Amino acid sequence: MTGPKIAVRDLRLEYFSEERGERHVAVDALSLDIAENEFLCVVGPSGCGKSTLIAAIAGFLKPRAGTLTMNGRPIGRPGADRGVVFQEYALLPWKRVIDNVALGLKFKGMGKAERHAVARRFLEITNLADAAQKFPHELSGGMKQRAAVARTLANAPEVMLMDEPFAAVDAQTRLTLQEELVRIWERSRVTVMFVTHSVEEAVFLADRVVVLTPGPGRVKASVPIPIARERRDWTTMNADPEFARLRDVVLGLVRGVAA
Ligand SMILES: Nc1ncnc2c1ncn2[C@@H]1O[C@H](COP(=O)(O)OP(=O)(O)OP(=O)(O)O)[C@@H](O)[C@H]1O
Ligand SMILES: [Mg+2]
């Protein structure tokens, strides 16, 4: 494929309140390309339209103006080609982990043996093989989030949209999840758009970090992160002056936005 995986052009997204008869512009004049197999992180102040942008790419929200395409075709409804991972894990509490992971495949009509085989592969990748038969309430926050990632990947999406997926876990688990996500992504090579408040998290994970302006969000800057994947563990990154430099560049851009 030659063109971008996802192309966003002059996008305007609005919410309309019937009650108050008011229009709220959440995103305006936003243009952004995401390349095939890219790991893109998006940072920006609260309320700048990050979740709204994810909703639009997922197909839950229609553009008011501009265009949104995937593989050169306009994005319409939500589809299995785009998987979304939210901050809340959204696992079904009455289903075992393996059946949660296999759920999308069940909806697609895949038989039980086959979908469990696929689910087991992604539980392996996300380091949850031993938790397959457990119920969500028996898992820690970090395990639940990995199960949610496994479920999304099991559906073989072309693009994984992640909206602050690690915001609700404790700091130590979060570091581990970040390291694990790098490895999971390397094995799946799905295209990722990852939204976060954390500049450190963004620079650690990304091929490129996009900084948005305060709402209505536009792209303020795009910073490539040319750090080798093999070096993406926290022990190495914490000692890497290039990581510190890039983090400060992005932090400066985010602070500049807020000023
Ligand atoms: N359902 C809604 N109806 C009306 N306005 C909304 C709705 N959802 C979000 N907004 C508004 O749209 C703007 C963008 O919201 P959005 O949730 O996309 O921000 P965000 O960048 O994800 O913020 P955060 O970092 O806090 O998650 C905000 O001003 C918000 O108040
Ligand atoms: Mg949000």
Side-chain angles (χ1 to χ4, degrees):
M1 214 188 76
T2 46
K5 187 73 187 169
I6 288 186
V8 181
R9 288 286 172 281
D10 298 319
L11 185 69
R12 182 179 173 98
L13 299 170
E14 294 180 351
Y15 292 103
F16 184 72
S17 155
E18 301 258 341
E19 236 166 75
R20 284 173 279 122
E22 272 172 20
R23 221 174 263 296
H24 180 85
V25 181
V27 165
D28 199 21
L30 190 150
S31 296
L32 175 69
D33 279 352
I34 309 178
E36 176 107 56
N37 299 136
E38 186 173 30
F39 197 126
L40 179 77
C41 283
V42 176
V43 296
S46 183
C48 76
K50 301 180 295 298
S51 297
T52 306
L53 177 63
I54 283 205
I57 296 175
F60 298 125
L61 194 69
K62 295 269 160 294
R64 279 295 296 181
T67 58
L68 257 180
T69 59
M70 176 161 158
N71 301 324
R73 289 184 297 278
I75 288 177
R77 301 151 165 282
D81 54 356
R82 283 148 292 147
V84 189
V85 182
F86 297 101
Q87 184 175 338
E88 308 80 35
Y89 325 112
L91 300 171
L92 300 178
W94 62 88
K95 283 194 181 290
R96 293 181 192 278
V97 168
I98 189 159
D99 289 310
N100 264 290
V101 172
L103 196 64
L105 304 173
K106 186 178 181 180
F107 289 147
K108 283 186 196 166
M110 191 184 279
K112 189 166 180 176
E114 196 186 346
R115 67 176 189 261
H116 273 194
V118 174
R120 264 194 293 275
R121 185 151 61 82
F122 286 97
L123 286 170
E124 200 81 50
I125 287 179
T126 51
N127 229 336
L128 282 172
D130 294 343
Q133 298 304 322
K134 293 192 169 161
F135 289 94
H137 75 267
E138 298 175 272
L139 306 185
S140 70
M143 291 166 86
K144 283 183 205 163
Q145 198 49 272
R146 277 184 277 143
V149 170
R151 180 182 52 189
T152 301
L153 288 175
N155 294 326
E158 293 174 45
V159 175
M160 185 154 66
L161 304 164
M162 307 183 82
D163 194 355
E164 302 195 50
F166 303 155
V169 298
D170 67 87
Q172 191 50 51
T173 304
R174 187 168 181 160
L175 300 180
T176 312
L177 284 173
Q178 289 159 354
E179 292 177 338
E180 281 170 351
L181 181 59
V182 169
R183 290 199 299 277
I184 292 166
W185 172 80
E186 278 181 332
R187 286 198 246 172
S188 67
R189 278 294 168 152
V190 63
T191 303
V192 176
M193 182 173 126
F194 186 107
V195 161
T196 176
H197 272 114
S198 162
V199 167
E200 295 224 318
E201 177 168 80
V203 174
F204 180 85
L205 292 171
D207 291 321
R208 184 163 62 98
V209 178
V210 160
V211 181
L212 300 185
T213 64
R218 275 177 300 105
V219 173
K220 153 133 186 167
S222 170
V223 183
I225 310 294
I227 296 177
R229 288 280 155 195
E230 310 80 67
R231 290 194 282 133
R232 307 265 182 139
D233 62 79
W234 277 113
T235 314
T236 310
M237 288 290 242
N238 280 331
D240 186 343
E242 183 64 358
F243 173 75
R245 190 187 69 78
L246 289 163
R247 180 197 55 205
D248 291 347
V249 166
V250 176
L251 213 47
L253 287 161
V254 172
R255 293 236 170 97
V257 161

